[in-house]
Amino acid sequence: MLSPKRTKFRKQFKGRIKGDSKGGTALNFGAYGLKAMEPDRITARQIEAARRAISRHMKRAGRLWIRIFPDVPVTQKPNEVRMGKGKGAPEFWAARVAPGRIMFEIDGVSHEIAKGAFERAAAKLPIKTKVIVRLGEPTGEVTK
Amino acid sequence: MSEAMKLAAGLRERAGKGASRAVRLTGRVPAVIYGDKQAPVTIHVPEKELTKLLHTGHFMNSVVELELDGATHRTLPRDVQFHVVSDRPIHVDFLRLAIGGTIAVQVPVHFTDEDQSPGMKRGGTLNIVRHEVELNCPSDAIPDQLNFSLAGLDIGDSIHISAITLPEKVTPVITDRDFTIATVVAPSALQSADAAADEETAAAAAAESAAEAEAKSE
């Protein structure tokens, strides 16, 4: 699973995901991409599950790029613990994803396979998504 | 070069955020025509027709004839802004073309003869380094696309700009090097399998060395 190699601080504030994505909204590498339509935190486990779903559907063909990275440590308090006594321990890593962010990109496979792979990946993610296609490719929606 | 695309444009009297939003509500996209040492003109174009042209794949390197108040403006689209979530076009920049001028244009790259590439047959993937190549060309002879043949390419091979003959008077903007267009690489799955194998061997080596160290300390 993805996680930072080292961090300056062990714990972070929760934060809020406001507005649309400011970058990473256009296809940069592949011909097909999976775009987030809602804001949410995507955990490293969910990213890994989506990656596996995509690479298994593509059957060792094509290339995959992951364009989000889980760099937010999320803490949790143990069960049946009273409030207070400090912040809980870091439990997992998550990526903050705003609407419009392209999370995965694929190239080297047909449109049908890319669509199937992204449908399977979307099922592993907690947000609504859509498949986007580079301008000039045979089918799909318009994006640059 | 393909035929010029045609778009019916209307004059936009007010510029700015509020006026542009009002225009978008009517199914039209705000746009601007500038260049050729003339004053810029704020216009709007129909969204439906614009989307159709965008789907052709060579909108950005095609001459667009804008019909505005009975006059025809020969232009080249310079930029299209898309909404980050809905991917609808929200603004277009059109550059007025000077007669006989030369212009730098991003021309899309296409690949052919995949079935004649041994690397692709072995499961290799085409890693496109440049989806578009910037070319200096006469404004009346802009290529639709650049076709590169993949025949004879194996895994690890690459295609450079020197692989094709460009039309007359068309030159790449980058001239100091023979830049790469694409490479044939092993697919991600093979690479990740290799990486996993490397990790396993490294882990096994680490475990062995740890066991040796323990044995020594005892």
Side-chain angles (χ1 to χ4, degrees), chain B residues 114-166:
Chain B
E114 266 190 35
D115 50 340
Q116 292 171 35
S117 158
M120 300 290 280
K121 275 186 195 166
R122 282 170 52 204
T125 308
L126 188 66
N127 180 35
I128 303 168
V129 179
R130 285 172 192 273
H131 289 276
E132 287 159 343
V133 176
E134 197 171 14
L135 300 173
N136 283 322
C137 37
S139 61
D140 52 354
I142 303 168
D144 272 351
Q145 59 186 43
L146 297 180
N147 288 319
F148 287 88
S149 169
L150 299 177
L153 286 184
D154 207 344
I155 289 175
D157 290 348
S158 51
I159 313 170
H160 299 89
I161 188 68
S162 57
I164 60 161
T165 319
L166 293 169

Side-chain angles (χ1 to χ4, degrees), chain A residues 20-21 25 29-30 35 37 60-65 99-100 107-108 130 132 134-136 140-144, chain B residues 51 54-57 60 79-80 82-87 110 123 125-128 131 185 187-191:
Chain A
D20 295 336
S21 188
T25 57
F29 303 98
K35 184 174 261 195
M37 302 299 283
R60 301 161 73 91
R63 290 192 79 195
L64 168 71
W65 290 268
D107 207 352
K130 74 169 174 181
I132 55 163
R134 184 175 287 276
L135 275 175
E141 292 182 48
V142 174
T143 189
K144 198 177 174 192
Chain B
T51 310
L54 285 167
H55 274 295
T56 59
M60 296 302 289
D79 186 37
V80 183
F82 292 94
H83 190 272
V84 294
V85 182
S86 67
D87 287 318
H110 279 251
T125 308
L126 188 66
N127 180 35
I128 303 168
H131 289 276
V185 294
S188 306
L190 287 178
Q191 285 171 1

